[in-house]
PDB file of all heavy atoms in Angstrom:
ATOM      1  N   TYR A 872     101.207  94.125 110.496  1.00  0.00           N
ATOM      2  CA  TYR A 872     102.634  94.203 110.198  1.00  0.00           C
ATOM      3  C   TYR A 872     102.914  95.420 109.317  1.00  0.00           C
ATOM      4  O   TYR A 872     102.114  95.770 108.485  1.00  0.00           O
ATOM      5  CB  TYR A 872     103.137  92.944 109.493  1.00  0.00           C
ATOM      6  CG  TYR A 872     103.037  91.672 110.305  1.00  0.00           C
ATOM      7  CD1 TYR A 872     101.867  90.965 110.411  1.00  0.00           C
ATOM      8  CD2 TYR A 872     104.147  91.207 110.979  1.00  0.00           C
ATOM      9  CE1 TYR A 872     101.785  89.803 111.175  1.00  0.00           C
ATOM     10  CE2 TYR A 872     104.095  90.037 111.766  1.00  0.00           C
ATOM     11  CZ  TYR A 872     102.905  89.377 111.845  1.00  0.00           C
ATOM     12  OH  TYR A 872     102.834  88.217 112.590  1.00  0.00           O
ATOM     13  N   GLN A 874     105.654  96.674 106.479  1.00  0.00           N
ATOM     14  CA  GLN A 874     106.726  96.220 105.591  1.00  0.00           C
ATOM     15  C   GLN A 874     107.264  97.410 104.826  1.00  0.00           C
ATOM     16  O   GLN A 874     106.660  97.893 103.866  1.00  0.00           O
ATOM     17  CB  GLN A 874     106.221  95.136 104.630  1.00  0.00           C
ATOM     18  CG  GLN A 874     107.351  94.533 103.778  1.00  0.00           C
ATOM     19  CD  GLN A 874     106.879  93.429 102.849  1.00  0.00           C
ATOM     20  OE1 GLN A 874     105.680  93.297 102.552  1.00  0.00           O
ATOM     21  NE2 GLN A 874     107.794  92.637 102.360  1.00  0.00           N
ATOM     22  N   GLN A 878     112.321  95.394 102.881  1.00  0.00           N
ATOM     23  CA  GLN A 878     112.481  94.769 104.203  1.00  0.00           C
ATOM     24  C   GLN A 878     111.450  93.686 104.403  1.00  0.00           C
ATOM     25  O   GLN A 878     110.454  93.603 103.681  1.00  0.00           O
ATOM     26  CB  GLN A 878     112.304  95.843 105.289  1.00  0.00           C
ATOM     27  CG  GLN A 878     113.232  97.023 105.195  1.00  0.00           C
ATOM     28  CD  GLN A 878     114.655  96.665 105.451  1.00  0.00           C
ATOM     29  OE1 GLN A 878     114.954  95.884 106.347  1.00  0.00           O
ATOM     30  NE2 GLN A 878     115.552  97.208 104.644  1.00  0.00           N
ATOM     31  N   GLY A 879     111.695  92.857 105.412  1.00  0.00           N
ATOM     32  CA  GLY A 879     110.677  91.907 105.797  1.00  0.00           C
ATOM     33  C   GLY A 879     109.628  92.588 106.660  1.00  0.00           C
ATOM     34  O   GLY A 879     109.867  93.658 107.249  1.00  0.00           O
ATOM     35  N   PRO A 880     108.438  92.029 106.776  1.00  0.00           N
ATOM     36  CA  PRO A 880     107.390  92.609 107.633  1.00  0.00           C
ATOM     37  C   PRO A 880     107.842  92.656 109.075  1.00  0.00           C
ATOM     38  O   PRO A 880     108.516  91.756 109.551  1.00  0.00           O
ATOM     39  CB  PRO A 880     106.215  91.646 107.445  1.00  0.00           C
ATOM     40  CG  PRO A 880     106.475  90.953 106.137  1.00  0.00           C
ATOM     41  CD  PRO A 880     107.962  90.831 106.056  1.00  0.00           C
ATOM     42  N   ASN A 892      96.894  91.679 122.255  1.00  0.00           N
ATOM     43  CA  ASN A 892      97.487  90.427 122.718  1.00  0.00           C
ATOM     44  C   ASN A 892      98.925  90.321 122.296  1.00  0.00           C
ATOM     45  O   ASN A 892      99.361  89.345 121.753  1.00  0.00           O
ATOM     46  CB  ASN A 892      96.684  89.255 122.172  1.00  0.00           C
ATOM     47  CG  ASN A 892      97.163  87.943 122.680  1.00  0.00           C
ATOM     48  OD1 ASN A 892      97.382  87.772 123.872  1.00  0.00           O
ATOM     49  ND2 ASN A 892      97.334  86.970 121.782  1.00  0.00           N
ATOM     50  N   GLY A 893      99.664  91.374 122.496  1.00  0.00           N
ATOM     51  CA  GLY A 893     101.067  91.394 122.077  1.00  0.00           C
ATOM     52  C   GLY A 893     101.344  92.590 121.218  1.00  0.00           C
ATOM     53  O   GLY A 893     100.520  92.986 120.397  1.00  0.00           O
ATOM     54  N   ARG A 894     102.516  93.214 121.401  1.00  0.00           N
ATOM     55  CA  ARG A 894     102.852  94.418 120.685  1.00  0.00           C
ATOM     56  C   ARG A 894     104.349  94.411 120.353  1.00  0.00           C
ATOM     57  O   ARG A 894     105.155  93.968 121.187  1.00  0.00           O
ATOM     58  CB  ARG A 894     102.523  95.659 121.542  1.00  0.00           C
ATOM     59  CG  ARG A 894     102.660  96.964 120.829  1.00  0.00           C
ATOM     60  CD  ARG A 894     102.267  98.138 121.715  1.00  0.00           C
ATOM     61  NE  ARG A 894     102.364  99.392 120.962  1.00  0.00           N
ATOM     62  CZ  ARG A 894     101.365  99.964 120.329  1.00  0.00           C
ATOM     63  NH1 ARG A 894     100.142  99.391 120.385  1.00  0.00           N
ATOM     64  NH2 ARG A 894     101.525 101.085 119.651  1.00  0.00           N
ATOM     65  N   LEU A 927     100.357  95.291 106.323  1.00  0.00           N
ATOM     66  CA  LEU A 927      99.762  93.979 106.117  1.00  0.00           C
ATOM     67  C   LEU A 927      98.922  93.558 107.319  1.00  0.00           C
ATOM     68  O   LEU A 927      99.395  93.707 108.463  1.00  0.00           O
ATOM     69  CB  LEU A 927     100.831  92.924 105.842  1.00  0.00           C
ATOM     70  CG  LEU A 927     101.634  93.110 104.563  1.00  0.00           C
ATOM     71  CD1 LEU A 927     102.884  92.243 104.581  1.00  0.00           C
ATOM     72  CD2 LEU A 927     100.785  92.756 103.340  1.00  0.00           C
ATOM     73  N   SER A 934      94.817  82.573 118.551  1.00  0.00           N
ATOM     74  CA  SER A 934      96.145  83.039 118.880  1.00  0.00           C
ATOM     75  C   SER A 934      96.997  81.890 119.359  1.00  0.00           C
ATOM     76  O   SER A 934      96.732  81.325 120.418  1.00  0.00           O
ATOM     77  CB  SER A 934      96.076  84.104 119.954  1.00  0.00           C
ATOM     78  OG  SER A 934      97.382  84.546 120.310  1.00  0.00           O
ATOM     79  N   LEU A 936     101.204  79.876 118.719  1.00  0.00           N
ATOM     80  CA  LEU A 936     102.543  80.012 118.149  1.00  0.00           C
ATOM     81  C   LEU A 936     102.651  79.347 116.785  1.00  0.00           C
ATOM     82  O   LEU A 936     103.565  79.652 116.031  1.00  0.00           O
ATOM     83  CB  LEU A 936     103.585  79.438 119.094  1.00  0.00           C
ATOM     84  CG  LEU A 936     103.714  80.127 120.442  1.00  0.00           C
ATOM     85  CD1 LEU A 936     104.755  79.407 121.307  1.00  0.00           C
ATOM     86  CD2 LEU A 936     104.126  81.581 120.262  1.00  0.00           C
ATOM     87  N   TYR A 937     101.766  78.418 116.478  1.00  0.00           N
ATOM     88  CA  TYR A 937     101.957  77.625 115.266  1.00  0.00           C
ATOM     89  C   TYR A 937     100.827  77.725 114.259  1.00  0.00           C
ATOM     90  O   TYR A 937     100.917  77.191 113.185  1.00  0.00           O
ATOM     91  CB  TYR A 937     102.166  76.148 115.625  1.00  0.00           C
ATOM     92  CG  TYR A 937     101.073  75.597 116.523  1.00  0.00           C
ATOM     93  CD1 TYR A 937      99.869  75.123 115.996  1.00  0.00           C
ATOM     94  CD2 TYR A 937     101.266  75.533 117.886  1.00  0.00           C
ATOM     95  CE1 TYR A 937      98.902  74.645 116.821  1.00  0.00           C
ATOM     96  CE2 TYR A 937     100.276  75.026 118.731  1.00  0.00           C
ATOM     97  CZ  TYR A 937      99.105  74.594 118.184  1.00  0.00           C
ATOM     98  OH  TYR A 937      98.105  74.114 118.990  1.00  0.00           O
ATOM     99  N   GLU A 939      98.695  79.021 111.303  1.00  0.00           N
ATOM    100  CA  GLU A 939      99.022  79.806 110.107  1.00  0.00           C
ATOM    101  C   GLU A 939      98.329  81.143 110.169  1.00  0.00           C
ATOM    102  O   GLU A 939      97.150  81.246 110.518  1.00  0.00           O
ATOM    103  CB  GLU A 939      98.549  79.051 108.859  1.00  0.00           C
ATOM    104  CG  GLU A 939      98.795  79.839 107.581  1.00  0.00           C
ATOM    105  CD  GLU A 939      98.304  79.109 106.336  1.00  0.00           C
ATOM    106  OE1 GLU A 939      97.884  77.927 106.460  1.00  0.00           O
ATOM    107  OE2 GLU A 939      98.339  79.699 105.241  1.00  0.00           O
ATOM    108  N   GLN A 940      99.048  82.181 109.807  1.00  0.00           N
ATOM    109  CA  GLN A 940      98.475  83.505 109.638  1.00  0.00           C
ATOM    110  C   GLN A 940      98.211  83.747 108.163  1.00  0.00           C
ATOM    111  O   GLN A 940      99.127  83.573 107.339  1.00  0.00           O
ATOM    112  CB  GLN A 940      99.418  84.573 110.231  1.00  0.00           C
ATOM    113  CG  GLN A 940      99.575  84.424 111.740  1.00  0.00           C
ATOM    114  CD  GLN A 940     100.323  85.572 112.396  1.00  0.00           C
ATOM    115  OE1 GLN A 940     100.409  86.681 111.817  1.00  0.00           O
ATOM    116  NE2 GLN A 940     100.862  85.313 113.547  1.00  0.00           N
ATOM    117  N   PHE A 942      97.410  86.254 105.198  1.00  0.00           N
ATOM    118  CA  PHE A 942      97.691  87.661 104.958  1.00  0.00           C
ATOM    119  C   PHE A 942      96.753  88.246 103.896  1.00  0.00           C
ATOM    120  O   PHE A 942      96.445  87.584 102.907  1.00  0.00           O
ATOM    121  CB  PHE A 942      99.142  87.878 104.509  1.00  0.00           C
ATOM    122  CG  PHE A 942     100.105  87.789 105.655  1.00  0.00           C
ATOM    123  CD1 PHE A 942     100.547  86.559 106.106  1.00  0.00           C
ATOM    124  CD2 PHE A 942     100.604  88.950 106.223  1.00  0.00           C
ATOM    125  CE1 PHE A 942     101.459  86.463 107.162  1.00  0.00           C
ATOM    126  CE2 PHE A 942     101.507  88.878 107.302  1.00  0.00           C
ATOM    127  CZ  PHE A 942     101.934  87.642 107.759  1.00  0.00           C
ATOM    128  N   GLY A 943      96.379  89.501 104.103  1.00  0.00           N
ATOM    129  CA  GLY A 943      95.670  90.242 103.086  1.00  0.00           C
ATOM    130  C   GLY A 943      96.681  90.866 102.114  1.00  0.00           C
ATOM    131  O   GLY A 943      97.894  90.723 102.283  1.00  0.00           O
TER     132      GLY A 943
ATOM    133  N   TYR B1228     107.238  81.912 103.824  1.00  0.00           N
ATOM    134  CA  TYR B1228     106.181  82.578 103.090  1.00  0.00           C
ATOM    135  C   TYR B1228     106.739  83.057 101.731  1.00  0.00           C
ATOM    136  O   TYR B1228     107.937  83.364 101.607  1.00  0.00           O
ATOM    137  CB  TYR B1228     105.663  83.805 103.828  1.00  0.00           C
ATOM    138  CG  TYR B1228     104.697  83.492 104.969  1.00  0.00           C
ATOM    139  CD1 TYR B1228     105.174  83.195 106.245  1.00  0.00           C
ATOM    140  CD2 TYR B1228     103.317  83.533 104.758  1.00  0.00           C
ATOM    141  CE1 TYR B1228     104.279  82.938 107.268  1.00  0.00           C
ATOM    142  CE2 TYR B1228     102.420  83.277 105.793  1.00  0.00           C
ATOM    143  CZ  TYR B1228     102.917  82.997 107.048  1.00  0.00           C
ATOM    144  OH  TYR B1228     102.041  82.727 108.046  1.00  0.00           O
ATOM    145  N   GLN B1230     105.986  85.968  98.580  1.00  0.00           N
ATOM    146  CA  GLN B1230     105.269  87.198  98.236  1.00  0.00           C
ATOM    147  C   GLN B1230     105.491  87.538  96.775  1.00  0.00           C
ATOM    148  O   GLN B1230     106.603  87.772  96.351  1.00  0.00           O
ATOM    149  CB  GLN B1230     105.734  88.375  99.134  1.00  0.00           C
ATOM    150  CG  GLN B1230     104.942  89.624  98.930  1.00  0.00           C
ATOM    151  CD  GLN B1230     105.366  90.730  99.910  1.00  0.00           C
ATOM    152  OE1 GLN B1230     106.539  90.857 100.250  1.00  0.00           O
ATOM    153  NE2 GLN B1230     104.407  91.536 100.354  1.00  0.00           N
ATOM    154  N   GLY B1235      99.979  90.137  99.082  1.00  0.00           N
ATOM    155  CA  GLY B1235     100.317  89.750 100.456  1.00  0.00           C
ATOM    156  C   GLY B1235     101.167  88.502 100.491  1.00  0.00           C
ATOM    157  O   GLY B1235     101.647  88.039  99.459  1.00  0.00           O
ATOM    158  N   LEU B1236     101.368  87.973 101.651  1.00  0.00           N
ATOM    159  CA  LEU B1236     102.211  86.788 101.836  1.00  0.00           C
ATOM    160  C   LEU B1236     101.382  85.504 101.815  1.00  0.00           C
ATOM    161  O   LEU B1236     100.275  85.497 102.394  1.00  0.00           O
ATOM    162  CB  LEU B1236     102.991  86.867 103.127  1.00  0.00           C
ATOM    163  CG  LEU B1236     104.241  87.748 103.165  1.00  0.00           C
ATOM    164  CD1 LEU B1236     103.865  89.209 103.121  1.00  0.00           C
ATOM    165  CD2 LEU B1236     105.075  87.447 104.381  1.00  0.00           C
ATOM    166  N   LEU B1238     101.561  81.327 102.703  1.00  0.00           N
ATOM    167  CA  LEU B1238     102.364  80.322 103.389  1.00  0.00           C
ATOM    168  C   LEU B1238     102.742  79.189 102.454  1.00  0.00           C
ATOM    169  O   LEU B1238     101.899  78.618 101.746  1.00  0.00           O
ATOM    170  CB  LEU B1238     101.555  79.725 104.552  1.00  0.00           C
ATOM    171  CG  LEU B1238     102.267  78.660 105.401  1.00  0.00           C
ATOM    172  CD1 LEU B1238     103.410  79.328 106.211  1.00  0.00           C
ATOM    173  CD2 LEU B1238     101.332  77.939 106.320  1.00  0.00           C
ATOM    174  N   LYS B1241     105.364  75.025 107.027  1.00  0.00           N
ATOM    175  CA  LYS B1241     105.663  75.390 108.395  1.00  0.00           C
ATOM    176  C   LYS B1241     106.218  74.185 109.156  1.00  0.00           C
ATOM    177  O   LYS B1241     105.858  73.021 108.851  1.00  0.00           O
ATOM    178  CB  LYS B1241     104.437  75.947 109.099  1.00  0.00           C
ATOM    179  CG  LYS B1241     103.305  74.941 109.290  1.00  0.00           C
ATOM    180  CD  LYS B1241     102.134  75.612 110.045  1.00  0.00           C
ATOM    181  CE  LYS B1241     100.968  74.625 110.215  1.00  0.00           C
ATOM    182  NZ  LYS B1241      99.832  75.271 110.929  1.00  0.00           N
ATOM    183  N   PHE B1282     110.234  84.743 102.286  1.00  0.00           N
ATOM    184  CA  PHE B1282     110.536  85.163 103.634  1.00  0.00           C
ATOM    185  C   PHE B1282     110.497  83.933 104.589  1.00  0.00           C
ATOM    186  O   PHE B1282     109.531  83.193 104.570  1.00  0.00           O
ATOM    187  CB  PHE B1282     109.521  86.189 104.132  1.00  0.00           C
ATOM    188  CG  PHE B1282     109.592  87.523 103.417  1.00  0.00           C
ATOM    189  CD1 PHE B1282     108.777  87.791 102.314  1.00  0.00           C
ATOM    190  CD2 PHE B1282     110.481  88.484 103.834  1.00  0.00           C
ATOM    191  CE1 PHE B1282     108.855  89.004 101.676  1.00  0.00           C
ATOM    192  CE2 PHE B1282     110.564  89.705 103.212  1.00  0.00           C
ATOM    193  CZ  PHE B1282     109.751  89.974 102.128  1.00  0.00           C
ATOM    194  N   SER B1286     108.137  82.021 114.982  1.00  0.00           N
ATOM    195  CA  SER B1286     107.031  82.422 115.836  1.00  0.00           C
ATOM    196  C   SER B1286     107.522  82.588 117.268  1.00  0.00           C
ATOM    197  O   SER B1286     108.255  81.744 117.780  1.00  0.00           O
ATOM    198  CB  SER B1286     105.913  81.382 115.806  1.00  0.00           C
ATOM    199  OG  SER B1286     104.819  81.819 116.585  1.00  0.00           O
ATOM    200  N   ALA B1287     107.165  83.749 117.853  1.00  0.00           N
ATOM    201  CA  ALA B1287     107.655  84.105 119.158  1.00  0.00           C
ATOM    202  C   ALA B1287     106.603  83.887 120.246  1.00  0.00           C
ATOM    203  O   ALA B1287     105.416  83.783 119.966  1.00  0.00           O
ATOM    204  CB  ALA B1287     108.080  85.585 119.174  1.00  0.00           C
ATOM    205  N   THR B1290     105.909  88.214 125.718  1.00  0.00           N
ATOM    206  CA  THR B1290     105.067  89.413 125.632  1.00  0.00           C
ATOM    207  C   THR B1290     104.622  89.699 124.217  1.00  0.00           C
ATOM    208  O   THR B1290     103.713  90.491 124.006  1.00  0.00           O
ATOM    209  CB  THR B1290     105.792  90.638 126.207  1.00  0.00           C
ATOM    210  OG1 THR B1290     107.025  90.820 125.486  1.00  0.00           O
ATOM    211  CG2 THR B1290     106.082  90.447 127.694  1.00  0.00           C
ATOM    212  N   SER B1291     105.272  89.142 123.248  1.00  0.00           N
ATOM    213  CA  SER B1291     104.894  89.314 121.843  1.00  0.00           C
ATOM    214  C   SER B1291     104.291  88.015 121.305  1.00  0.00           C
ATOM    215  O   SER B1291     104.596  87.609 120.183  1.00  0.00           O
ATOM    216  CB  SER B1291     106.083  89.767 121.005  1.00  0.00           C
ATOM    217  OG  SER B1291     106.569  91.012 121.425  1.00  0.00           O
ATOM    218  N   TYR B1292     103.431  87.393 122.093  1.00  0.00           N
ATOM    219  CA  TYR B1292     102.860  86.115 121.739  1.00  0.00           C
ATOM    220  C   TYR B1292     102.152  86.221 120.394  1.00  0.00           C
ATOM    221  O   TYR B1292     101.400  87.164 120.157  1.00  0.00           O
ATOM    222  CB  TYR B1292     101.852  85.709 122.806  1.00  0.00           C
ATOM    223  CG  TYR B1292     101.378  84.302 122.689  1.00  0.00           C
ATOM    224  CD1 TYR B1292     102.114  83.282 123.272  1.00  0.00           C
ATOM    225  CD2 TYR B1292     100.235  83.982 121.997  1.00  0.00           C
ATOM    226  CE1 TYR B1292     101.695  81.965 123.162  1.00  0.00           C
ATOM    227  CE2 TYR B1292      99.797  82.672 121.898  1.00  0.00           C
ATOM    228  CZ  TYR B1292     100.517  81.671 122.486  1.00  0.00           C
ATOM    229  OH  TYR B1292     100.112  80.366 122.381  1.00  0.00           O
ATOM    230  N   GLY B1293     102.437  85.235 119.547  1.00  0.00           N
ATOM    231  CA  GLY B1293     101.780  85.194 118.235  1.00  0.00           C
ATOM    232  C   GLY B1293     102.493  86.013 117.188  1.00  0.00           C
ATOM    233  O   GLY B1293     102.135  86.001 116.004  1.00  0.00           O
ATOM    234  N   LEU B1295     105.113  86.997 114.443  1.00  0.00           N
ATOM    235  CA  LEU B1295     106.042  86.374 113.515  1.00  0.00           C
ATOM    236  C   LEU B1295     107.223  87.334 113.324  1.00  0.00           C
ATOM    237  O   LEU B1295     107.014  88.520 113.050  1.00  0.00           O
ATOM    238  CB  LEU B1295     105.382  86.128 112.161  1.00  0.00           C
ATOM    239  CG  LEU B1295     104.370  84.966 112.067  1.00  0.00           C
ATOM    240  CD1 LEU B1295     103.708  84.954 110.718  1.00  0.00           C
ATOM    241  CD2 LEU B1295     105.082  83.646 112.347  1.00  0.00           C
ATOM    242  N   GLY B1298     112.694  87.283 108.353  1.00  0.00           N
ATOM    243  CA  GLY B1298     113.981  87.681 107.816  1.00  0.00           C
ATOM    244  C   GLY B1298     113.802  88.786 106.824  1.00  0.00           C
ATOM    245  O   GLY B1298     112.692  89.260 106.555  1.00  0.00           O
ATOM    246  N   GLN B1299     114.938  89.195 106.223  1.00  0.00           N
ATOM    247  CA  GLN B1299     114.928  90.342 105.315  1.00  0.00           C
ATOM    248  C   GLN B1299     114.383  89.982 103.952  1.00  0.00           C
ATOM    249  O   GLN B1299     114.078  90.865 103.134  1.00  0.00           O
ATOM    250  CB  GLN B1299     116.360  90.873 105.140  1.00  0.00           C
ATOM    251  CG  GLN B1299     116.931  91.483 106.408  1.00  0.00           C
ATOM    252  CD  GLN B1299     116.322  92.833 106.656  1.00  0.00           C
ATOM    253  OE1 GLN B1299     115.203  92.981 107.170  1.00  0.00           O
ATOM    254  NE2 GLN B1299     117.083  93.888 106.361  1.00  0.00           N
TER     255      GLN B1299
END
Side-chain angles (χ1 to χ4, degrees):
Chain A
Y872 294 83
Q874 186 178 17
Q878 304 292 319
N892 184 46
R894 189 178 182 93
L927 295 165
S934 177
L936 296 178
Y937 52 83
E939 177 181 354
Q940 295 189 21
F942 283 80
Chain B
Y1228 281 86
Q1230 186 176 34
L1236 281 72
L1238 181 70
K1241 65 179 179 181
F1282 292 95
S1286 183
T1290 57
S1291 297
Y1292 192 85
L1295 286 174
Q1299 294 285 78

